[in-house]
Amino acid sequence: MVKATWNGDVIAESDNTVEVEGNHYFPQADVKMDRLVPSDTKSHCPWKGEASYYSIKADGVTNADAAWTYKEPKEAASEIKDHIAFWKGVEVG
């Protein structure tokens, strides 16, 4: 079981993560989406495509752009469609 925790709150928990480039991508169904707020931030990866970001809100504190997803990944990264990964102090393990 892999967990993503931030500010004392378990944000995601899954036995079905996909690990890509050292990041665990959690199925969206295993993420507490009520803790995530969509952001306008975007980035681009040459082989995965365009990433969209979320800020995390836990216990009244916001961690801006601390989660991301590839809503329409390129074919080479199709396994991470509808999955979310974390960074910026989010403990994953």
Side-chain angles (χ1 to χ4, degrees):
M1 180 72 65
V2 181
K3 292 183 184 181
T5 306
W6 185 73
N7 200 31
D9 195 3
V10 176
I11 306 300
E13 190 171 20
S14 181
D15 282 327
N16 298 308
T17 64
V18 177
E19 191 170 351
V20 176
E21 296 179 328
N23 295 301
H24 284 275
Y25 284 79
F26 291 78
Q28 187 170 325
D30 295 336
V31 176
K32 294 180 181 175
M33 294 303 294
D34 63 331
R35 306 292 199 288
L36 303 185
V37 179
S39 166
D40 290 333
T41 302
K42 306 273 188 225
S43 66
H44 185 79
C45 172
W47 73 274
K48 291 183 292 228
E50 183 178 82
S52 300
Y53 288 77
Y54 294 96
S55 295
I56 300 172
K57 287 195 173 189
D59 199 24
V61 181
T62 300
N63 189 350
D65 298 334
W68 74 92
T69 187
Y70 290 89
K71 294 179 181 179
E72 297 294 331
K74 292 184 177 184
E75 187 175 334
S78 62
E79 66 186 349
I80 59 171
K81 182 174 175 58
D82 298 322
H83 285 63
I84 298 173
F86 301 93
W87 68 327
K88 289 190 161 184
V90 176
E91 295 180 23
V92 177

